[in-house]
Amino acid sequence: MHPPALWDWETGQRVILGSLERPEGVAWLEEFHVSPDGERVGVIVGLEEGGAGVLVNGEAWEGSFDKAWLPQFSPDGRFTAIVQQDGVWTLAVDGETWEESFDYLWGTRFSEAGDVIAACIQNGGEYGVCTDGTPWETLFETGSQCALSADGKSSALVVQLESLKPADTEAFQKGVFGVAVNGQAWEKQFVNCWTPAFDAQGQRVAAQARTSLYDYTIVVDGTPWSESYGCVWEPRFNPASGKVVAPVRLASGWGMAQDGQIIWEPKFVQCWNHVISQDGKTIAAIVAPEFGCFSVAVNGQSWSLRFPVVTDLVVSRDGATVAALGCVDNDDWQVLVNGRAWSGVWDMAWTPVLSAAGGHVAVKVRKGKRESVVVDGKPYSRDFDQVFAPAFSQDGKKLLIRGIDKGSVVRIVADVGQA
């Protein structure tokens, strides 16, 4: 599939799949998936003769599997599924399976461009990562929370580095967990590790770590920050400076630290899910200024909006647009943009999508049993049985809408001002 700049951006509608009915030999259909460019439709099916198959644009992959799950399109438009045959698992990509198979495989990951695919694996009770069919040479006693660098050249996994006897709390407190990068474990071990994250170049890794029963810090390339905290959340690298930024908890509350130094006053009841703009100048996070009331803080300053729940925070590349969702008890969803709430209220809303240029925001929403897209606060003129995440053209002037309605899958390109 071509990159977004080369997608078909001609205004209008095309039917990609004219019928969602079960073809001959198919007992049932699972959920339909549509490729990022809207040109392909994939679905796992149950076969009347037993087992599972896959259809893409109505055409069946060759052969069948005992089981198939986690169907996904990669960013470059390839359809993938985790499949089992004869008791072992592997990954199928556009109908071709990896040569290697494993006792189990899960957690498909994609590089930013989609040209590299990785997954967590387990073989003989040992864990690691497999990338494009090639597993790590060294596997570990346990493994979880896989991360893949943006270019797909490196992978990381939280791993257990020493065996524990049942109820051996003393050994546990000494630390048996660490992070392995491309199969090589950091030398230092910790009580726990979580959420390894790569820098933009895929050369450095940071993670949360628990250094004792009561102390937490951030570890970068195996070296802990010198400061300890009551708790920390997932670290992220500043794309511009390469510095590591993470929410941290001090006695006075939650704030933000950068390379171990406090950069946001620790005044919040909670602070997490931070996002950094590409120029590194804007840091936004979901915060609780007071107990049970959530908002968004930008560079340490909280919006005046308050909701019981705030989620799905995103920041534009230039930092000019910050958007999130707010709701009440998982109902009455609103879209929040730069400190203001759009006027509409929906039964459900999904992660806001930001244009690369023009400062536009589009959100998939649901009202009753119908779904649609809202652009810059204005509902699109049509609703659907189901709609997928919208996408903007690179110049921000066109919007791609992929939807299912009246038994067919349609691809619509609309001018943003008229969407």
Side-chain angles (χ1 to χ4, degrees):
M1 188 184 79
H2 298 302
L6 299 179
W7 293 358
D8 177 8
W9 289 106
E10 183 177 353
T11 303
Q13 173 179 311
R14 286 193 284 117
V15 175
I16 303 302
L17 187 62
S19 174
L20 305 184
E21 296 296 321
R22 289 186 292 112
E24 185 178 352
V26 171
W28 44 262
L29 301 164
E30 291 194 356
E31 183 179 4
F32 287 88
H33 298 260
V34 180
S35 62
D37 66 352
E39 302 284 359
R40 307 180 76 202
V41 182
V43 61
I44 289 176
V45 302
L47 303 175
E48 290 180 350
E49 62 185 19
V54 175
L55 302 178
V56 176
N57 285 6
E59 298 294 325
W61 281 0
E62 185 177 346
S64 62
F65 311 99
D66 294 338
K67 298 178 181 178
W69 71 290
L70 196 62
Q72 297 181 82
F73 275 103
S74 63
D76 64 355
R78 292 179 290 168
F79 196 53
T80 70
I82 294 173
V83 297
Q84 184 197 58
Q85 192 71 31
D86 299 326
V88 294
W89 294 86
T90 191
L91 190 74
V93 182
D94 273 351
E96 299 292 330
T97 57
W98 285 351
E99 291 185 7
E100 292 279 350
S101 56
F102 309 94
D103 291 345
Y104 197 55
L105 180 147
W106 76 101
T108 313
R109 300 286 190 272
F110 303 103
S111 63
E112 189 173 280
D115 55 334
V116 178
I117 304 175
C120 300
I121 57 169
Q122 183 266 117
N123 241 5
E126 294 185 315
Y127 295 75
V129 177
C130 183
T131 302
D132 284 341
T134 301
W136 283 358
E137 292 184 2
T138 302
L139 301 181
F140 299 88
E141 189 166 337
T142 66
S144 63
Q145 303 189 38
C146 174
L148 186 67
S149 62
D151 61 9
K153 294 181 179 179
S154 294
S155 54
L157 195 68
V158 174
V159 296
Q160 184 175 338
L161 299 170
E162 292 184 21
S163 298
L164 281 175
K165 296 178 181 179
D168 190 353
T169 57
E170 182 178 353
F172 170 75
Q173 291 184 51
K174 290 180 180 178
V176 298
F177 292 96
V179 172
V181 181
N182 296 332
Q184 300 297 315
W186 289 345
E187 290 186 7
K188 193 168 181 61
Q189 298 175 194
F190 304 92
V191 178
N192 293 106
C193 284
W194 300 275
T195 61
F198 283 95
D199 68 350
Q201 292 74 37
Q203 297 175 353
R204 303 174 64 206
V205 176
Q208 305 174 55
R210 185 183 180 195
T211 56
S212 74
L213 290 182
Y214 314 103
D215 299 301
Y216 299 77
T217 192
I218 300 298
V219 183
V220 183
D221 296 331
T223 301
W225 284 356
S226 57
E227 295 76 12
S228 293
Y229 308 94
C231 194
V232 298
W233 291 124
E234 179 178 359
R236 303 189 196 281
F237 286 90
N238 185 309
S241 68
K243 295 180 179 180
V244 178
V245 180
V248 298
R249 183 183 178 186
L250 299 175
S252 57
W254 282 88
M256 195 77 70
Q258 178 175 273
D259 287 351
Q261 302 300 312
I262 297 297
I263 59 172
W264 285 14
E265 181 185 351
K267 60 183 179 180
F268 299 108
V269 177
Q270 185 56 271
C271 175
W272 54 13
N273 295 339
H274 62 302
V275 183
I276 308 173
S277 61
Q278 286 297 307
D279 63 8
K281 296 179 180 179
T282 301
I283 302 174
I286 295 173
V287 298
E290 53 192 276
F291 186 79
C293 293
F294 286 85
S295 186
V296 171
V298 180
N299 292 337
Q301 300 302 311
S302 173
W303 291 349
S304 60
L305 295 169
R306 299 288 186 271
F307 286 85
V309 175
V310 173
T311 185
D312 293 272
L313 176 66
V314 292
V315 176
S316 62
R317 294 178 64 87
D318 62 3
T321 304
V322 178
L325 303 176
C327 75
V328 179
D329 297 330
N330 207 35
D331 202 356
D332 295 336
W333 289 82
Q334 290 184 264
V335 180
L336 320 176
V337 180
N338 289 343
R340 295 185 177 183
W342 287 355
S343 59
V345 178
W346 294 275
D347 296 336
M348 185 64 202
W350 283 260
T351 305
V353 176
L354 309 181
S355 63
H360 300 293
V361 181
V363 182
K364 169 188 171 180
V365 297
R366 185 180 69 223
K367 195 82 167 179
K369 295 183 178 181
R370 302 290 287 177
E371 296 182 358
S372 189
V373 173
V374 181
V375 185
D376 296 336
K378 178 183 176 182
Y380 182 57
S381 58
R382 175 180 173 184
D383 57 16
F384 305 83
D385 293 328
Q386 182 180 357
V387 74
F388 300 86
F392 287 99
S393 59
Q394 287 195 318
D395 61 8
K397 296 180 179 180
K398 300 288 183 71
L399 183 72
L400 172 63
I401 299 172
R402 304 163 296 154
I404 297 177
D405 199 29
K406 298 178 181 178
S408 63
V409 178
V410 296
R411 181 188 192 276
I412 300 171
V413 175
D415 293 321
V416 168
Q418 300 175 4

